[in-house]
Amino acid sequence: MNRIPLQNGNNMPLQAPLIPDPFVPYECPGNRSLNAICQGDPAILGQYLENTPFTLNGDRFLVYVSDFTNCRKAPFMDAGIVIPVRFGEREGGYFLFEYEDNDAAIAAGRDLWGYPKKFGTITLEEKDGGASARVVRHGVPLIAIDCRFDGTETEPLKTTPHLNIHIQPAPDGTILNKRVIARDTSPDFRLTSCRWGSAAVSLGSLPTDPIGPLGPVTVLAASYVVGDFFATEENGWGKTIADLVVNGVPATET
């Protein structure tokens, strides 16, 4: 009888782990991203942070769609909304919402680094003089970006390192572990091209995805970036920078 080739089993199911092991390093040549820099209401942006250890760092936020389908380890489309935050002396970007279309990439981002990934149907199309992107979840349009490459620019938005809240639920429904993880792959990105332009962004909502309060959206400018993405051994992994709950006990009590 032929023996079944078993994996190392660093994630579930043991017989056929969902996350490639090891997940890092990986790369995506020809990665494409449409990034809309938006201006929002600080009072509303702040409400999204009320249950986090972060504080708002400005009144702008990022709406983006990115094409990672050239990634051989786990090809996927990616999209999300990121707001600049402070955590102590650190500045970075906190993902309010994120969507992908490959369960391995979703599980890796959530389980390893705390990205709030969910499944969505995502498109990114380049057309004459512009680009457009869409995100749909459960049949509901959540994100739409339409950009015209007319040279409109704005000050870049600082969204790295990514500052994520990683929560490991306990079997009894409580929190077993809760931590802040920082991750920054930007030093290894190799830019090929960047085109700026004016853009329009529309946002939808689901009961489990309350994006709508961010709109109507004022878009300052958008960039269409093409380059080679790398998640290296040095920068591809995340780093725990603060423990909030350890083995079911709040860190202040440990």
Side-chain angles (χ1 to χ4, degrees):
M1 181 179 71
N2 293 331
R3 293 185 60 83
I4 299 172
L6 298 180
Q7 306 296 315
N8 289 336
N10 73 333
N11 62 92
M12 299 177 291
L14 290 176
Q15 294 78 14
L18 177 57
I19 303 172
D21 178 23
F23 192 64
V24 173
Y26 64 93
E27 62 188 52
C28 179
N31 170 236
R32 304 180 301 133
S33 298
L34 182 58
N35 311 292
I37 299 176
C38 308
Q39 191 166 36
D41 182 343
I44 293 176
L45 292 172
Q47 289 180 23
Y48 287 101
L49 299 178
E50 288 180 353
N51 197 30
T52 77
F54 306 131
T55 57
L56 187 63
N57 190 18
D59 64 352
R60 299 186 300 161
F61 63 96
L62 177 70
V63 181
Y64 78 91
V65 170
S66 191
D67 180 355
F68 284 88
T69 56
N70 289 334
C71 175
R72 289 188 296 272
K73 189 163 285 189
F76 61 97
M77 294 292 293
D78 177 53
I81 298 176
V82 187
I83 61 174
V85 296
R86 290 183 181 273
F87 180 66
E89 298 299 317
R90 296 175 184 263
E91 294 182 340
Y94 175 58
F95 280 69
L96 293 182
F97 305 96
E98 187 174 12
Y99 303 94
E100 291 181 352
D101 60 358
N102 182 320
D103 58 359
I106 292 171
R110 291 177 65 98
D111 294 356
L112 293 172
W113 305 308
Y115 289 96
K117 298 180 178 184
K118 296 182 179 181
F119 185 87
T121 301
I122 305 167
T123 59
L124 173 57
E125 297 179 350
E126 183 179 350
K127 50 190 177 184
D128 291 341
S132 62
R134 300 288 185 271
V135 179
V136 177
R137 177 170 165 80
H138 297 320
V140 176
L142 294 183
I143 296 173
I145 310 173
D146 292 289
C147 177
R148 180 166 51 92
F149 301 143
D150 58 13
T152 300
E153 293 191 37
T154 190
E155 183 181 352
L157 193 60
K158 180 174 175 54
T159 58
T160 57
H162 300 158
L163 299 174
N164 299 327
I165 301 174
H166 182 278
I167 297 177
Q168 182 183 7
D172 61 2
T174 59
I175 295 175
L176 182 61
N177 293 295
K178 184 177 182 180
R179 58 185 65 89
V180 177
I181 293 178
R183 183 170 182 258
D184 189 0
T185 60
S186 64
D188 301 310
F189 185 79
R190 298 177 185 173
L191 179 67
T192 300
S193 64
C194 177
R195 283 181 280 180
W196 284 89
S198 56
V201 170
S202 60
L203 303 175
S205 276
L206 285 165
T208 53
D209 298 81
I211 301 174
L214 288 168
V217 179
T218 299
V219 183
L220 302 178
S223 63
Y224 181 68
V225 175
V226 180
D228 297 331
F229 173 93
F230 295 89
T232 63
E233 285 287 352
E234 180 181 2
N235 297 313
W237 297 105
K239 299 176 177 64
T240 298
I241 59 174
D243 286 307
L244 306 179
V245 177
V246 179
N247 294 326
V249 180
T252 55
E253 300 178 15
T254 59

